[in-house]
Amino acid sequence: MAHGSNSRQSILNRIRSFTGRDESGEAPQKSWSVPQPGYVVDFTKDLVTSFTSRLNAVHGTLQTVADFAGLPVAVHDYLSEAGQSNVQELLVHKGLVGLEWGNRSVSVRKAAKQDRVSVTLAFAGIAETGTVVMTSSSDSPTTQSYLPDTNIVVLRESRLLATMESLWPLLEHQPRALNFITGPSKTADIEQTIVYGAHGPRRFHVILVKNAGAN
Amino acid sequence: MEVLTHNFKPAAKKALLDKDLSAAMGRAESGFVDTRRKVTDELLNFEEFRTLGRDVKNHTLANLDYYLELFERNVIAQGGHVHWAKNGEEANRIVLDICKKADARKIIKGKSMVSEEAGTNAALERQGYEVIETDLGEYIIQLAGETPSHIIAPAVHKSKKAVTELFDRYHAPMGYETVTEHEAIVDQARQILRDHFCSADVGITGGNFLVAETGSVAIVTNEGNGDLTSCLPKVHIVTTSIEKVIPDMEALGGFLRLLARSATGQITSVYTTLFNGPKRDKDIDGPEEFHVVLLDNGRSEILGSEYQDILRCIRCGACLNHCPVYTSIGGHAYGWVYPGPMGSVLTPILVGRENAGDLPNACTLNGRCGTVCPVKIPLPSLLRKHRSDLVKAGSQGAVQKGMLSFWYVLARRPVLYGVLMRAFKTVLSLFALLDKAGQRGRIKTLPGASAWTSSRDLPAPGKSTFQALWKTAQSASNESEK
Ligand code: SF4
């Protein structure tokens, strides 16, 4: 705190002259709770359907596989369909390295400018908004979600939650970066026209794993 | 940023005559208003969330010292640094110091209105740093040498054609082609900015919410530029301000539902990120240093004043999009960082009423801004408050003073008032009849009132005066009571 420590004190003093609190003041009592969000259609009834329709509405796509063993084939098919079948290397979450990836190589590393496809593993999903939740770690580098043109996100169905509020109890600690991602990157900065692929991925595909086992 | 608010009237006049601007603003208004309506209607208890937003912000402001210190402790515990700046100059000095220590050359930026307020870009450039804005709208206005005209859509006033010309001027020398379509324009910016992302030494972003309980900084974007700005360079600096702090994650969930809907009419932004300090031990990516610069710049003095409610503002931009004055003249005419209703309340307080007295006076008091504000800031009454303070300070103009005293005399003489009104109505109706260019019910040109009619029509008067209507209505109700 070499910087601005005088300013710190003077700003806090001014605030305290209003709040009337002294430096050892106790934690204030909070008096609110977040209401359960209500929609015309009850989104909590069928989480997969709610999640999918929100995701589709923002140009994200979704497919389902039975278990982790089915992932490589699903990834392969998606890439062929997206015209990306000549991609040689996939950037992946560490937990996915052991799967049978066939001819493609997989690496767990920081993404670079030329990387084309990443297959990341979401910590959770949120049905209310069609969002995936990414937690940064040595297994899960943040750049993988932002630099490649195509981001495929693996989501365990058991981790599909109704709202953001159900996420907090599951997080044991805050990761360095907690990223909530809802669809491909986009901009409407020119004449309010939506264009996908502004800085982040142009293609955003979620693969939902039905039975994720102990994973 | 330089304060040009004293120039409001001529700037507004010029803006009203700018055809391109009025086309751009018309497009923006309808886009923002319609999409917001759809998504706020869909969340059935949106009103409950607005109340929550108001209450949480009020609670936080009432305990601001506690939450700021809690936030600071938690950022430090995660290995980050917190710096306090009483004004923009100090904030810039802090940023410059960090850049110097990091031996930086190139600095990339995500959108930060606080850094606009402080004039951080100019301060960095003066010291020889290369500064590149990465939000597409910010990048466009940086090339154009302009300032943002909207707090969430900085280039809302620019047409596609203008962007093509700008890109031609700056990108063609680097070997890029002319781009005329939306996709191609965005793609070209993407390629150019990627090179910058991957070669920058420092990344600066704003912070939408500071979560005290965890020491997290939350930002929201649709492009993903804020995330690339924060995770690629070796230093990440957040430039933000003291009123952005909120107690906990619960509160964050409430605000996120309000912000995306109110700002861009989305259910949620594409990217919402919480930053918790620098890279951890075994992490493969992320910044090595993490700094938060907390700007005060006069905010702590608003606490406890009659204008305190404005400190709840979450900078969503809804009041701008719903303001007939803003959507007619655009943001530049306001002459400082914050335009529209929230700017007209905040600017006179932060830069001095003597510089910005015209802003509150431009308001039509239609009240839409107050109805849409996600944290229920009573913007119309705060604007009225400004006006009455201006009058008390004796700083309204001679013409305005004269007109008001004239009206004061008339209003106390109902008979004279009635006679004059009827005469006025007859004259106006004559003009409406003679006005060939005018549609029915509108007057397009009026001698002596060109200041009004050059930029908008005057409604033709109705069949009777208000007084006459009132009389009839009263006698009718007296009849029925008998
Ligand atoms: S005053 Fe209210 S509506 Fe206007 S920008 Fe701030 S939060 Fe949004």
Side-chain angles (χ1 to χ4, degrees):
Chain A
M1 256 183 356
H3 279 297
S5 32
N6 286 335
S7 298
R8 178 185 189 277
Q9 211 46 52
S10 70
I11 294 169
L12 281 172
N13 285 347
R14 204 152 35 218
I15 297 173
R16 286 199 182 104
S17 73
F18 159 72
T19 61
R21 176 188 292 279
D22 61 31
E23 290 184 36
S24 57
E26 296 202 345
Q29 282 292 318
K30 293 173 209 164
S31 56
W32 67 84
S33 60
V34 177
Q36 176 70 24
Y39 297 90
V40 181
V41 184
D42 179 6
F43 72 101
T44 59
K45 278 227 175 86
D46 179 351
L47 295 183
V48 174
T49 306
S50 308
F51 180 86
T52 311
S53 75
R54 286 296 200 209
L55 180 65
N56 290 343
V58 292
H59 275 220
T61 48
L62 180 134
Q63 86 186 86
T64 305
V65 295
D67 49 28
F68 272 101
L71 263 182
V73 173
V75 168
H76 181 83
D77 291 350
Y78 173 74
L79 289 178
S80 305
E81 242 173 71
Q84 306 292 309
S85 44
N86 62 353
V87 168
Q88 294 303 312
E89 186 197 14
L90 307 175
L91 294 191
V92 298
H93 183 282
K94 190 141 172 222
L96 305 176
V97 169
L99 300 174
E100 265 313 316
W101 291 102
N103 290 334
R104 290 201 171 97
S105 67
V106 292
S107 3
V108 188
R109 60 169 170 80
K110 177 177 176 172
K113 211 165 52 183
Q114 68 285 350
D115 288 319
R116 290 170 58 192
V117 178
S118 60
V119 185
T120 55
L121 179 63
F123 177 81
I126 298 172
E128 183 188 355
T129 48
T131 303
V132 297
V133 184
M134 313 302 299
T135 49
S136 73
S137 72
S138 54
D139 295 350
S140 168
T142 311
T143 42
Q144 291 189 356
S145 295
Y146 292 91
L147 272 175
D149 259 17
T150 304
N151 180 206
I152 300 172
V153 185
V154 180
L155 173 62
R156 292 156 283 195
E157 195 181 317
S158 56
R159 289 289 184 90
L160 187 50
L161 315 170
T163 61
M164 180 180 268
E165 282 71 33
S166 351
L167 170 71
W168 309 125
L170 298 184
L171 269 183
E172 279 159 26
H173 63 92
Q174 284 287 327
R176 179 197 71 75
L178 183 65
N179 306 96
F180 296 84
I181 306 179
T182 315
S185 152
K186 67 181 175 193
T187 182
D189 273 351
I190 304 170
E191 296 186 337
Q192 304 266 300
T193 306
I194 295 182
V195 178
Y196 291 93
H199 291 296
R202 299 167 203 273
R203 280 175 289 271
F204 186 78
H205 184 65
V206 174
I207 302 180
L208 193 69
V209 183
K210 283 266 157 207
N211 306 303
N215 248 295
Chain B
M1 187 175 142
E2 201 189 341
V3 181
L4 299 168
T5 37
H6 54 274
N7 205 29
F8 178 66
K9 274 191 188 162
K13 207 176 247 172
K14 195 165 143 242
L16 281 171
L17 300 173
D18 183 336
K19 291 268 173 333
D20 289 342
L21 179 65
S22 109
M25 296 314 295
R27 208 165 28 232
E29 184 195 4
S30 59
F32 279 130
V33 170
D34 294 349
T35 47
R36 178 194 168 276
R37 150 102 16 95
K38 257 181 230 144
V39 296
T40 51
D41 283 353
E42 193 220 16
L43 178 58
L44 299 174
N45 52 349
F46 186 71
E47 278 310 300
E48 260 185 87
F49 279 94
R50 284 182 75 217
T51 308
L52 172 83
R54 181 196 62 193
D55 293 350
V56 173
K57 278 283 180 180
N58 282 347
H59 167 89
T60 317
L61 291 171
N63 300 284
L64 191 58
D65 52 332
Y66 175 82
Y67 286 116
L68 282 171
E69 284 195 298
L70 182 61
F71 171 75
E72 178 186 49
R73 265 202 307 284
N74 285 324
V75 172
I76 293 171
Q78 294 178 128
H81 305 269
V82 178
H83 313 266
W84 303 65
K86 55 179 176 305
N87 54 29
E89 206 182 306
E90 189 175 13
N92 293 340
R93 221 166 32 236
I94 293 166
V95 172
L96 276 167
D97 250 23
I98 299 170
C99 293
K100 197 166 153 212
K101 281 205 193 98
D103 213 1
R105 305 174 75 90
K106 185 186 283 187
I107 297 159
I108 45 170
K109 286 189 68 215
K111 211 171 77 63
S112 160
M113 292 311 290
V114 165
S115 85
E116 294 284 347
E117 189 179 328
T120 308
N121 287 13
L124 285 165
E125 277 161 357
R126 272 197 299 275
Q127 297 300 317
Y129 293 102
E130 187 186 359
V131 183
I132 295 135
E133 291 285 354
T134 62
D135 173 86
L136 182 59
E138 288 276 355
Y139 178 69
I140 291 168
I141 59 164
Q142 188 186 26
L143 288 185
E146 295 175 11
T147 53
S149 70
H150 189 292
I151 55 176
I152 60 152
V156 71
H157 60 289
K158 283 260 178 272
S159 68
K160 185 176 73 171
K161 196 167 138 264
V163 179
T164 296
E165 286 165 12
L166 264 179
F167 276 25
D168 240 8
R169 177 144 29 105
Y170 290 96
H171 297 169
M174 297 154 69
Y176 285 92
E177 292 174 358
T178 300
V179 276
T180 54
E181 289 318 306
H182 292 104
E183 282 78 12
I185 292 174
V186 173
D187 199 55
Q188 190 169 88
R190 175 186 172 100
Q191 287 177 47
I192 289 172
L193 287 167
R194 286 203 147 209
D195 289 335
H196 290 310
F197 278 126
C198 295
S199 59
D201 309 296
V202 173
I204 301 179
T205 66
N208 292 87
F209 302 100
L210 312 174
V211 186
E213 175 192 55
T214 53
S216 314
V217 175
I219 64 164
V220 297
T221 76
N222 280 316
E223 298 181 2
N225 63 311
D227 290 282
L228 288 170
T229 301
S230 68
C231 70
L232 290 168
K234 58 181 191 286
V235 178
H236 177 199
I237 307 174
V238 175
T239 48
T240 187
S241 50
I242 55 169
E243 85 288 11
K244 301 257 161 69
V245 72
I246 57 172
D248 54 17
M249 291 300 178
E250 253 219 309
L252 179 70
F255 283 116
L256 289 174
R257 289 188 182 89
L258 289 166
L259 179 58
R261 285 182 173 80
S262 306
T264 42
Q266 290 172 280
I267 311 288
T268 178
S269 314
V270 177
Y271 301 107
T272 299
T273 297
L274 278 93
F275 301 114
N276 296 294
K279 187 172 173 175
R280 310 257 162 102
D281 260 1
K282 293 189 181 117
D283 279 2
I284 302 175
D285 55 15
E288 281 152 33
E289 282 176 42
F290 178 76
H291 300 267
V292 182
V293 182
L294 289 174
L295 178 68
D296 180 355
N297 208 25
R299 287 164 174 81
S300 59
E301 278 161 48
I302 304 178
L303 274 179
S305 80
E306 291 165 305
Y307 295 96
Q308 183 179 316
D309 289 340
I310 195 64
L311 291 177
R312 293 205 295 268
C313 176
I314 57 171
R315 306 284 189 268
C316 73
C319 59
L320 279 60
N321 304 333
H322 289 77
C323 173
V325 177
Y326 173 83
T327 53
S328 302
I329 62 176
H332 286 152
Y334 290 81
W336 200 52
V337 192
Y338 303 110
M342 58 78 58
S344 299
V345 173
L346 197 57
T347 308
I349 308 174
L350 294 188
V351 309
R353 213 176 264 126
E354 58 290 355
N355 288 319
D358 280 333
L359 302 187
N361 281 325
C363 172
T364 68
L365 295 178
N366 63 79
R368 280 168 93 197
C369 52
T371 334
V372 295
C373 177
V375 284
K376 294 195 173 177
I377 298 174
L379 292 157
S381 31
L382 294 181
L383 286 164
R384 257 196 306 268
K385 179 105 220 29
H386 265 312
R387 288 185 182 187
S388 101
D389 283 358
L390 276 166
V391 172
K392 275 185 211 141
S395 50
Q396 91 255 59
V399 178
Q400 201 189 359
K401 225 182 230 165
M403 301 261 279
L404 279 175
S405 351
F406 180 59
W407 190 81
Y408 173 75
V409 171
L410 269 189
R412 303 203 313 170
R413 292 169 178 75
V415 179
L416 180 62
Y417 190 93
V419 171
L420 275 176
M421 276 300 138
R422 277 196 299 279
F424 190 50
K425 183 188 86 73
T426 318
V427 174
L428 270 189
S429 312
L430 258 169
F431 272 106
L433 268 176
L434 292 174
D435 198 329
K436 286 189 214 85
Q439 313 149 265
R440 280 164 61 91
R442 328 270 320 154
I443 301 171
K444 280 229 158 177
T445 49
L446 189 68
S450 63
W452 179 287
T453 53
S454 64
S455 53
R456 55 226 189 272
D457 296 344
L458 191 72
K463 286 210 174 62
S464 330
T465 63
F466 177 76
Q467 278 182 319
L469 285 174
W470 182 257
K471 234 181 219 156
T472 332
Q474 281 236 312
S475 56
S477 79
N478 286 346
E479 276 306 310
S480 65
E481 270 168 33
K482 271 181 197 165

